[in-house]
Amino acid sequence: MSVAEHVSPLELADYQRAVRLLLAHPLITEVHPNRAALPLVRRWAAQLRSDLHELLGYRLVTTANTARLLRVQDDLDLTRPAVTRTDRPFDRRRYAYLVLTLAALGRSGTQIALSELAEAVAADATRIDGLGLDTERKPDRDAFVDAVTWLTERGALALADGSAADWASSPDGAEALYDIDREVVFAIYRPSRVLQHLGSVTGLLETDRGLVQGVHRVREAAARRARRLVLERPVVYYADVSESLRGQLRHPGLAEDLERLTGQAVERRAEGLALIDTSGRLSDIRFPSGGTPSQAALLLSTRIAAQVAEGKLPTMPAPTAAERTQAGAARIDAGLPLRGVVAELTVEEPGTEPEPEPAEGALYPFLTDAWLKGAMKELMSTYGSAFAVAWRGDPDRLLREALRLLSALGLVARVEGGVLALPLLARYRATTAEIKPRAAKEKT
């Protein structure tokens, strides 16, 4: 099958915009990510449904008010958390409140007051050891409002009157009233399997579960996974995948399919390949971009690249995809209930096939935490006047955020005692910076 085979050359760019929108925002509603998105996706729904299933194994479900892309999950990715309006990642409490809020909305009518919703969530949260929701506590109210705001941004709730921020500040003196879009509520929560039956988050990963049979079907499944890897990861290193996937990644048809599907170019290097998002509308992380953590990450990447160029660093293999998944699963599974209905219903899930060890010779330069802290202090001394005030007094926190960003982009790999510099980092070795001090009145 040819990608977008029924799309004329004059309309191809419009179709590719719809693809990028859907890949960047798996849930599209009348208001999220903008009001023009849903009509565009609905126009191309039939072609999108066919192409995304054939190439990637994804399912597109559309209703009158939503478009929901159901992805196939090959491995765990902890680099794309839900975030608040101030770009702070959700913690466990916020995730728990989000899920409990969805459950409460599923039992509600067409409107609900924020205080009423908080009472419903609090009743459920009280039955969960270590959670609870006490509306007398400001931190609990803030976490709950963050979950409600996340749903509001996606159209599950629409503010009809009042203010959630005012309620969070003074629940006795303020209120907020929301309209509920039940169609969006049900579109948001679409797990691929019954969660109560899983003993680990790895049960949500794609393992083919013995359904793929025959050489042709196995090859098709490998080709789809290879395409998904290139779309979902900032960079795919050959050393990080199995031999069969390396063959699929090197096949010229992969680049042709993805380039026609997305309108973006696939860049190949000796170590791997990456889809280059020149549109700025496909990637969930822009880099370089504005903001102190991104600027610090860019400057730090330049320092790391310069240190690597000197060639005097020890080397070691990077953690494999299987090791990263195992570590991520352990963090997530730590939140599983230890008793009750979940334990009673749990069934063992077949594990994913282990990824191979890195290819022979895939060793990467190692930089210690001590060196990284020293580099950040030097950057703070040189460029601190250009950083936001909130970051200037805490170089350790800024270093953590910069490394988190570089790790999410596949530029470095976190290991015990430091980081490994990965090949993509060399792209930024010649970066130069110009100091533009911030206005004196600026505080953030």
Side-chain angles (χ1 to χ4, degrees), residues 14-15 17-23 25-46 48-49 60-69 153-156 181 183-184 187:
D14 193 55
Y15 165 79
R17 279 195 295 273
V19 170
R20 294 194 296 268
L21 258 174
L22 198 53
L23 291 173
H25 306 281
L27 172 66
I28 294 180
T29 67
E30 292 178 319
V31 298
H32 178 77
N34 55 62
R35 293 190 177 275
L38 186 60
L40 177 61
V41 170
R42 288 185 63 82
R43 177 191 174 193
W44 294 105
L48 288 168
R49 191 174 291 112
L60 175 60
V61 179
T62 56
T63 67
N65 302 319
T66 66
R68 184 71 160 95
L69 184 64
E153 291 173 345
R154 284 151 183 81
D181 190 323
E183 196 170 277
V184 176

Tab-separated table of all heavy atoms in Angstrom, residues 14-15 17-23 25-46 48-49 60-69 153-156 181 183-184 187:
chain	number	residue	atom	x	y	z
A	14	ASP	N	-1.636	19.590	3.450
A	14	ASP	CA	-2.751	19.698	4.381
A	14	ASP	C	-2.949	18.380	5.130
A	14	ASP	O	-3.164	18.354	6.351
A	14	ASP	CB	-4.026	20.067	3.612
A	14	ASP	CG	-5.152	20.503	4.536
A	14	ASP	OD1	-4.934	21.439	5.329
A	14	ASP	OD2	-6.247	19.900	4.467
A	15	TYR	N	-2.854	17.272	4.411
A	15	TYR	CA	-2.969	15.945	5.027
A	15	TYR	C	-1.835	15.734	6.037
A	15	TYR	O	-2.060	15.228	7.147
A	15	TYR	CB	-2.924	14.877	3.938
A	15	TYR	CG	-2.682	13.479	4.453
A	15	TYR	CD1	-3.706	12.736	5.025
A	15	TYR	CD2	-1.410	12.897	4.380
A	15	TYR	CE1	-3.487	11.452	5.506
A	15	TYR	CE2	-1.183	11.619	4.852
A	15	TYR	CZ	-2.216	10.902	5.414
A	15	TYR	OH	-1.988	9.636	5.887
A	17	ARG	N	-0.234	17.969	7.737
A	17	ARG	CA	-0.500	18.774	8.930
A	17	ARG	C	-1.454	18.034	9.868
A	17	ARG	O	-1.293	18.070	11.092
A	17	ARG	CB	-1.091	20.135	8.544
A	17	ARG	CG	-0.067	21.157	8.093
A	17	ARG	CD	-0.641	22.556	8.075
A	17	ARG	NE	-1.705	22.703	7.080
A	17	ARG	CZ	-1.492	23.011	5.812
A	17	ARG	NH1	-0.259	23.224	5.382
A	17	ARG	NH2	-2.501	23.139	4.977
A	18	ALA	N	-2.444	17.354	9.286
A	18	ALA	CA	-3.371	16.578	10.105
A	18	ALA	C	-2.648	15.429	10.801
A	18	ALA	O	-2.902	15.133	11.976
A	18	ALA	CB	-4.513	16.045	9.238
A	19	VAL	N	-1.730	14.766	10.096
A	19	VAL	CA	-0.945	13.683	10.694
A	19	VAL	C	-0.127	14.209	11.870
A	19	VAL	O	-0.123	13.619	12.962
A	19	VAL	CB	-0.019	13.038	9.651
A	19	VAL	CG1	0.963	12.077	10.316
A	19	VAL	CG2	-0.825	12.305	8.585
A	20	ARG	N	0.573	15.305	11.654
A	20	ARG	CA	1.418	15.859	12.718
A	20	ARG	C	0.585	16.284	13.926
A	20	ARG	O	0.992	16.084	15.077
A	20	ARG	CB	2.241	17.027	12.182
A	20	ARG	CG	3.271	16.629	11.130
A	20	ARG	CD	4.277	17.732	10.883
A	20	ARG	NE	3.689	18.930	10.330
A	20	ARG	CZ	3.585	19.194	9.028
A	20	ARG	NH1	4.025	18.315	8.137
A	20	ARG	NH2	3.060	20.329	8.606
A	21	LEU	N	-0.584	16.856	13.682
A	21	LEU	CA	-1.463	17.255	14.777
A	21	LEU	C	-1.860	16.051	15.615
A	21	LEU	O	-1.805	16.077	16.852
A	21	LEU	CB	-2.717	17.914	14.210
A	21	LEU	CG	-2.819	19.435	14.258
A	21	LEU	CD1	-4.068	19.902	13.520
A	21	LEU	CD2	-2.832	19.935	15.698
A	22	LEU	N	-2.256	14.987	14.948
A	22	LEU	CA	-2.744	13.809	15.641
A	22	LEU	C	-1.626	13.088	16.387
A	22	LEU	O	-1.824	12.582	17.500
A	22	LEU	CB	-3.401	12.870	14.634
A	22	LEU	CG	-4.345	11.794	15.160
A	22	LEU	CD1	-5.421	12.391	16.040
A	22	LEU	CD2	-4.967	11.042	14.006
A	23	LEU	N	-0.438	13.038	15.807
A	23	LEU	CA	0.690	12.399	16.482
A	23	LEU	C	1.149	13.208	17.689
A	23	LEU	O	1.572	12.660	18.703
A	23	LEU	CB	1.847	12.200	15.501
A	23	LEU	CG	1.619	11.162	14.396
A	23	LEU	CD1	2.762	11.195	13.392
A	23	LEU	CD2	1.473	9.761	14.984
A	25	HIS	N	-0.847	15.283	19.395
A	25	HIS	CA	-1.959	15.383	20.349
A	25	HIS	C	-2.890	14.193	20.133
A	25	HIS	O	-3.845	14.292	19.362
A	25	HIS	CB	-2.714	16.700	20.156
A	25	HIS	CG	-1.851	17.913	20.220
A	25	HIS	ND1	-1.422	18.458	21.410
A	25	HIS	CD2	-1.308	18.679	19.232
A	25	HIS	CE1	-0.666	19.518	21.163
A	25	HIS	NE2	-0.586	19.663	19.859
A	26	PRO	N	-2.629	13.065	20.797
A	26	PRO	CA	-3.437	11.856	20.564
A	26	PRO	C	-4.915	12.039	20.892
A	26	PRO	O	-5.740	11.276	20.415
A	26	PRO	CB	-2.793	10.824	21.481
A	26	PRO	CG	-1.397	11.318	21.700
A	26	PRO	CD	-1.491	12.798	21.695
A	27	LEU	N	-5.246	13.037	21.710
A	27	LEU	CA	-6.644	13.372	21.956
A	27	LEU	C	-6.894	14.772	21.416
A	27	LEU	O	-6.280	15.745	21.865
A	27	LEU	CB	-6.975	13.330	23.452
A	27	LEU	CG	-8.366	13.841	23.816
A	27	LEU	CD1	-9.445	12.920	23.245
A	27	LEU	CD2	-8.534	14.001	25.315
A	28	ILE	N	-7.792	14.866	20.456
A	28	ILE	CA	-8.172	16.156	19.885
A	28	ILE	C	-9.657	16.365	20.138
A	28	ILE	O	-10.478	15.482	19.875
A	28	ILE	CB	-7.853	16.213	18.376
A	28	ILE	CG1	-6.335	16.166	18.167
A	28	ILE	CG2	-8.428	17.464	17.741
A	28	ILE	CD1	-5.896	16.217	16.724
A	29	THR	N	-9.985	17.537	20.676
A	29	THR	CA	-11.373	17.878	20.956
A	29	THR	C	-11.709	19.201	20.275
A	29	THR	O	-10.886	19.753	19.539
A	29	THR	CB	-11.612	17.999	22.469
A	29	THR	OG1	-10.895	19.133	22.980
A	29	THR	CG2	-11.136	16.747	23.195
A	30	GLU	N	-12.891	19.715	20.546
A	30	GLU	CA	-13.291	20.964	19.913
A	30	GLU	C	-12.444	22.144	20.365
A	30	GLU	O	-12.385	23.164	19.677
A	30	GLU	CB	-14.768	21.241	20.201
A	30	GLU	CG	-15.718	20.242	19.518
A	30	GLU	CD	-17.162	20.503	19.842
A	30	GLU	OE1	-17.452	20.809	21.026
A	30	GLU	OE2	-18.006	20.417	18.934
A	31	VAL	N	-11.777	22.023	21.509
A	31	VAL	CA	-10.967	23.129	22.035
A	31	VAL	C	-9.496	22.791	22.172
A	31	VAL	O	-8.667	23.683	22.380
A	31	VAL	CB	-11.508	23.607	23.402
A	31	VAL	CG1	-12.920	24.144	23.249
A	31	VAL	CG2	-11.457	22.486	24.435
A	32	HIS	N	-9.137	21.529	22.089
A	32	HIS	CA	-7.739	21.114	22.305
A	32	HIS	C	-7.210	20.370	21.080
A	32	HIS	O	-7.867	19.462	20.563
A	32	HIS	CB	-7.643	20.183	23.526
A	32	HIS	CG	-6.273	19.674	23.803
A	32	HIS	ND1	-5.294	20.436	24.400
A	32	HIS	CD2	-5.699	18.469	23.545
A	32	HIS	CE1	-4.200	19.716	24.518
A	32	HIS	NE2	-4.418	18.523	23.999
A	33	PRO	N	-6.009	20.744	20.589
A	33	PRO	CA	-5.123	21.821	21.071
A	33	PRO	C	-5.568	23.210	20.618
A	33	PRO	O	-5.113	24.206	21.155
A	33	PRO	CB	-3.779	21.459	20.446
A	33	PRO	CG	-4.146	20.759	19.179
A	33	PRO	CD	-5.392	19.973	19.486
A	34	ASN	N	-6.458	23.278	19.610
A	34	ASN	CA	-7.059	24.539	19.173
A	34	ASN	C	-8.333	24.192	18.406
A	34	ASN	O	-8.597	23.038	18.088
A	34	ASN	CB	-6.076	25.357	18.315
A	34	ASN	CG	-5.559	24.571	17.126
A	34	ASN	OD1	-6.317	24.157	16.248
A	34	ASN	ND2	-4.243	24.336	17.093
A	35	ARG	N	-9.122	25.202	18.088
A	35	ARG	CA	-10.428	24.960	17.481
A	35	ARG	C	-10.337	24.537	16.016
A	35	ARG	O	-11.306	24.020	15.459
A	35	ARG	CB	-11.312	26.198	17.618
A	35	ARG	CG	-11.692	26.497	19.057
A	35	ARG	CD	-12.760	27.571	19.167
A	35	ARG	NE	-13.137	27.779	20.552
A	35	ARG	CZ	-14.048	27.044	21.193
A	35	ARG	NH1	-14.652	26.046	20.560
A	35	ARG	NH2	-14.344	27.301	22.454
A	36	ALA	N	-9.186	24.742	15.387
A	36	ALA	CA	-9.038	24.345	13.982
A	36	ALA	C	-8.594	22.888	13.830
A	36	ALA	O	-8.678	22.331	12.730
A	36	ALA	CB	-8.033	25.262	13.289
A	37	ALA	N	-8.145	22.265	14.923
A	37	ALA	CA	-7.550	20.935	14.827
A	37	ALA	C	-8.569	19.853	14.482
A	37	ALA	O	-8.347	19.034	13.584
A	37	ALA	CB	-6.834	20.591	16.137
A	38	LEU	N	-9.698	19.821	15.189
A	38	LEU	CA	-10.666	18.734	14.988
A	38	LEU	C	-11.255	18.733	13.576
A	38	LEU	O	-11.320	17.668	12.948
A	38	LEU	CB	-11.767	18.805	16.041
A	38	LEU	CG	-12.762	17.633	16.035
A	38	LEU	CD1	-12.037	16.309	16.273
A	38	LEU	CD2	-13.840	17.839	17.105
A	39	PRO	N	-11.671	19.891	13.027
A	39	PRO	CA	-12.172	19.863	11.639
A	39	PRO	C	-11.139	19.350	10.645
A	39	PRO	O	-11.487	18.633	9.694
A	39	PRO	CB	-12.530	21.335	11.367
A	39	PRO	CG	-12.811	21.914	12.715
A	39	PRO	CD	-11.859	21.221	13.646
A	40	LEU	N	-9.856	19.688	10.852
A	40	LEU	CA	-8.810	19.234	9.941
A	40	LEU	C	-8.655	17.720	10.013
A	40	LEU	O	-8.579	17.035	8.981
A	40	LEU	CB	-7.485	19.917	10.282
A	40	LEU	CG	-6.268	19.489	9.446
A	40	LEU	CD1	-6.490	19.799	7.975
A	40	LEU	CD2	-4.998	20.170	9.959
A	41	VAL	N	-8.616	17.161	11.226
A	41	VAL	CA	-8.465	15.718	11.379
A	41	VAL	C	-9.695	14.982	10.856
A	41	VAL	O	-9.580	13.947	10.190
A	41	VAL	CB	-8.191	15.357	12.855
A	41	VAL	CG1	-8.270	13.857	13.075
A	41	VAL	CG2	-6.814	15.871	13.278
A	42	ARG	N	-10.874	15.513	11.123
A	42	ARG	CA	-12.092	14.859	10.650
A	42	ARG	C	-12.152	14.834	9.126
A	42	ARG	O	-12.658	13.879	8.527
A	42	ARG	CB	-13.328	15.560	11.210
A	42	ARG	CG	-13.532	15.294	12.694
A	42	ARG	CD	-14.828	15.907	13.188
A	42	ARG	NE	-15.965	15.294	12.504
A	42	ARG	CZ	-16.508	14.146	12.840
A	42	ARG	NH1	-16.009	13.449	13.863
A	42	ARG	NH2	-17.532	13.654	12.182
A	43	ARG	N	-11.626	15.878	8.472
A	43	ARG	CA	-11.630	15.904	7.007
A	43	ARG	C	-10.855	14.725	6.431
A	43	ARG	O	-11.238	14.138	5.421
A	43	ARG	CB	-11.036	17.225	6.517
A	43	ARG	CG	-10.943	17.301	5.001
A	43	ARG	CD	-10.114	18.468	4.540
A	43	ARG	NE	-9.943	18.402	3.089
A	43	ARG	CZ	-9.072	19.128	2.407
A	43	ARG	NH1	-8.296	19.991	3.035
A	43	ARG	NH2	-8.980	18.998	1.105
A	44	TRP	N	-9.739	14.371	7.087
A	44	TRP	CA	-8.861	13.317	6.571
A	44	TRP	C	-9.007	12.013	7.366
A	44	TRP	O	-8.154	11.128	7.263
A	44	TRP	CB	-7.406	13.787	6.649
A	44	TRP	CG	-7.108	14.928	5.748
A	44	TRP	CD1	-6.928	16.237	6.104
A	44	TRP	CD2	-6.964	14.887	4.327
A	44	TRP	NE1	-6.686	17.006	5.003
A	44	TRP	CE2	-6.697	16.203	3.886
A	44	TRP	CE3	-7.042	13.869	3.380
A	44	TRP	CZ2	-6.492	16.516	2.554
A	44	TRP	CZ3	-6.850	14.178	2.046
A	44	TRP	CH2	-6.580	15.481	1.648
A	45	ALA	N	-10.075	11.862	8.137
A	45	ALA	CA	-10.191	10.737	9.067
A	45	ALA	C	-10.048	9.381	8.387
A	45	ALA	O	-9.348	8.494	8.895
A	45	ALA	CB	-11.525	10.821	9.812
A	46	ALA	N	-10.696	9.188	7.245
A	46	ALA	CA	-10.651	7.872	6.585
A	46	ALA	C	-9.233	7.523	6.153
A	46	ALA	O	-8.756	6.403	6.382
A	46	ALA	CB	-11.592	7.855	5.387
A	48	LEU	N	-6.421	8.872	7.293
A	48	LEU	CA	-5.601	8.759	8.500
A	48	LEU	C	-5.797	7.397	9.166
A	48	LEU	O	-4.827	6.758	9.591
A	48	LEU	CB	-5.975	9.875	9.485
A	48	LEU	CG	-5.541	11.292	9.132
A	48	LEU	CD1	-6.237	12.298	10.032
A	48	LEU	CD2	-4.031	11.441	9.235
A	49	ARG	N	-7.033	6.972	9.259
A	49	ARG	CA	-7.325	5.691	9.904
A	49	ARG	C	-6.618	4.545	9.174
A	49	ARG	O	-6.027	3.659	9.800
A	49	ARG	CB	-8.838	5.476	9.917
A	49	ARG	CG	-9.287	4.310	10.778
A	49	ARG	CD	-10.803	4.245	10.859
A	49	ARG	NE	-11.331	5.368	11.617
A	49	ARG	CZ	-12.060	6.347	11.097
A	49	ARG	NH1	-12.338	6.352	9.807
A	49	ARG	NH2	-12.506	7.317	11.845
A	60	LEU	N	-7.372	4.879	15.066
A	60	LEU	CA	-7.978	6.203	15.184
A	60	LEU	C	-9.473	6.033	15.418
A	60	LEU	O	-10.169	5.420	14.608
A	60	LEU	CB	-7.733	7.025	13.924
A	60	LEU	CG	-8.428	8.395	13.874
A	60	LEU	CD1	-7.970	9.287	15.019
A	60	LEU	CD2	-8.179	9.082	12.530
A	61	VAL	N	-9.949	6.564	16.545
A	61	VAL	CA	-11.369	6.499	16.894
A	61	VAL	C	-11.916	7.913	16.874
A	61	VAL	O	-11.419	8.785	17.607
A	61	VAL	CB	-11.578	5.862	18.281
A	61	VAL	CG1	-13.061	5.833	18.640
A	61	VAL	CG2	-10.983	4.464	18.320
A	62	THR	N	-12.906	8.177	16.055
A	62	THR	CA	-13.491	9.510	15.961
A	62	THR	C	-14.952	9.477	16.387
A	62	THR	O	-15.669	8.501	16.140
A	62	THR	CB	-13.402	10.066	14.527
A	62	THR	OG1	-14.024	9.151	13.620
A	62	THR	CG2	-11.953	10.269	14.114
A	63	THR	N	-15.379	10.542	17.045
A	63	THR	CA	-16.786	10.749	17.382
A	63	THR	C	-17.159	12.147	16.915
A	63	THR	O	-16.349	12.837	16.270
A	63	THR	CB	-17.023	10.619	18.895
A	63	THR	OG1	-16.353	11.706	19.569
A	63	THR	CG2	-16.485	9.298	19.425
A	64	ALA	N	-18.351	12.582	17.260
A	64	ALA	CA	-18.791	13.908	16.818
A	64	ALA	C	-17.899	15.012	17.370
A	64	ALA	O	-17.670	16.025	16.708
A	64	ALA	CB	-20.241	14.142	17.241
A	65	ASN	N	-17.344	14.808	18.576
A	65	ASN	CA	-16.597	15.878	19.235
A	65	ASN	C	-15.152	15.529	19.567
A	65	ASN	O	-14.458	16.338	20.186
A	65	ASN	CB	-17.305	16.292	20.539
A	65	ASN	CG	-18.725	16.745	20.305
A	65	ASN	OD1	-19.003	17.442	19.340
A	65	ASN	ND2	-19.629	16.343	21.186
A	66	THR	N	-14.689	14.343	19.177
A	66	THR	CA	-13.333	13.949	19.542
A	66	THR	C	-12.665	13.138	18.435
A	66	THR	O	-13.332	12.543	17.593
A	66	THR	CB	-13.315	13.076	20.821
A	66	THR	OG1	-13.958	11.829	20.553
A	66	THR	CG2	-14.009	13.761	21.982
A	67	ALA	N	-11.356	13.149	18.476
A	67	ALA	CA	-10.541	12.239	17.673
A	67	ALA	C	-9.494	11.674	18.619
A	67	ALA	O	-8.725	12.434	19.224
A	67	ALA	CB	-9.884	12.964	16.509
A	68	ARG	N	-9.473	10.360	18.762
A	68	ARG	CA	-8.587	9.710	19.738
A	68	ARG	C	-7.684	8.727	19.018
A	68	ARG	O	-8.149	7.799	18.358
A	68	ARG	CB	-9.418	8.976	20.783
A	68	ARG	CG	-8.576	8.355	21.903
A	68	ARG	CD	-8.015	9.443	22.804
A	68	ARG	NE	-7.629	8.931	24.108
A	68	ARG	CZ	-6.400	8.549	24.436
A	68	ARG	NH1	-5.446	8.565	23.527
A	68	ARG	NH2	-6.131	8.141	25.649
A	69	LEU	N	-6.368	8.956	19.116
A	69	LEU	CA	-5.394	8.047	18.530
A	69	LEU	C	-4.932	7.075	19.601
A	69	LEU	O	-4.359	7.471	20.616
A	69	LEU	CB	-4.202	8.819	17.978
A	69	LEU	CG	-3.147	7.976	17.253
A	69	LEU	CD1	-3.735	7.340	15.999
A	69	LEU	CD2	-1.924	8.821	16.899
A	153	GLU	N	-8.346	21.977	30.025
A	153	GLU	CA	-7.588	22.318	28.818
A	153	GLU	C	-7.923	21.393	27.660
A	153	GLU	O	-7.820	21.784	26.496
A	153	GLU	CB	-6.087	22.259	29.121
A	153	GLU	CG	-5.604	23.358	30.053
A	153	GLU	CD	-4.162	23.159	30.461
A	153	GLU	OE1	-3.624	22.039	30.257
A	153	GLU	OE2	-3.558	24.111	30.994
A	154	ARG	N	-8.341	20.179	27.955
A	154	ARG	CA	-8.647	19.201	26.908
A	154	ARG	C	-10.130	19.102	26.591
A	154	ARG	O	-10.536	18.280	25.771
A	154	ARG	CB	-8.086	17.829	27.325
A	154	ARG	CG	-6.590	17.774	27.131
A	154	ARG	CD	-5.890	16.848	28.084
A	154	ARG	NE	-4.436	16.938	27.843
A	154	ARG	CZ	-3.666	17.901	28.331
A	154	ARG	NH1	-4.196	18.849	29.100
A	154	ARG	NH2	-2.382	17.936	28.057
A	155	GLY	N	-10.940	19.927	27.213
A	155	GLY	CA	-12.346	19.992	26.856
A	155	GLY	C	-13.256	19.054	27.612
A	155	GLY	O	-14.458	19.023	27.342
A	156	ALA	N	-12.730	18.261	28.562
A	156	ALA	CA	-13.597	17.393	29.354
A	156	ALA	C	-14.489	18.219	30.274
A	156	ALA	O	-15.620	17.842	30.581
A	156	ALA	CB	-12.767	16.406	30.171
A	181	ASP	N	-18.330	17.476	29.490
A	181	ASP	CA	-18.467	16.847	28.177
A	181	ASP	C	-18.148	15.363	28.358
A	181	ASP	O	-16.989	14.955	28.374
A	181	ASP	CB	-17.510	17.484	27.169
A	181	ASP	CG	-17.788	17.040	25.738
A	181	ASP	OD1	-18.136	15.861	25.548
A	181	ASP	OD2	-17.641	17.862	24.806
A	183	GLU	N	-18.478	12.863	26.436
A	183	GLU	CA	-17.816	12.217	25.305
A	183	GLU	C	-16.304	12.354	25.415
A	183	GLU	O	-15.554	11.407	25.159
A	183	GLU	CB	-18.319	12.845	23.998
A	183	GLU	CG	-18.015	12.021	22.765
A	183	GLU	CD	-18.736	12.557	21.543
A	183	GLU	OE1	-19.916	12.225	21.366
A	183	GLU	OE2	-18.103	13.313	20.792
A	184	VAL	N	-15.840	13.527	25.831
A	184	VAL	CA	-14.405	13.745	26.005
A	184	VAL	C	-13.899	12.965	27.211
A	184	VAL	O	-12.808	12.384	27.177
A	184	VAL	CB	-14.099	15.251	26.152
A	184	VAL	CG1	-12.611	15.463	26.430
A	184	VAL	CG2	-14.513	16.011	24.903
A	187	ALA	N	-13.345	9.546	26.169
A	187	ALA	CA	-12.273	9.435	25.179
A	187	ALA	C	-10.895	9.511	25.828
A	187	ALA	O	-9.934	8.905	25.340
A	187	ALA	CB	-12.405	10.525	24.120
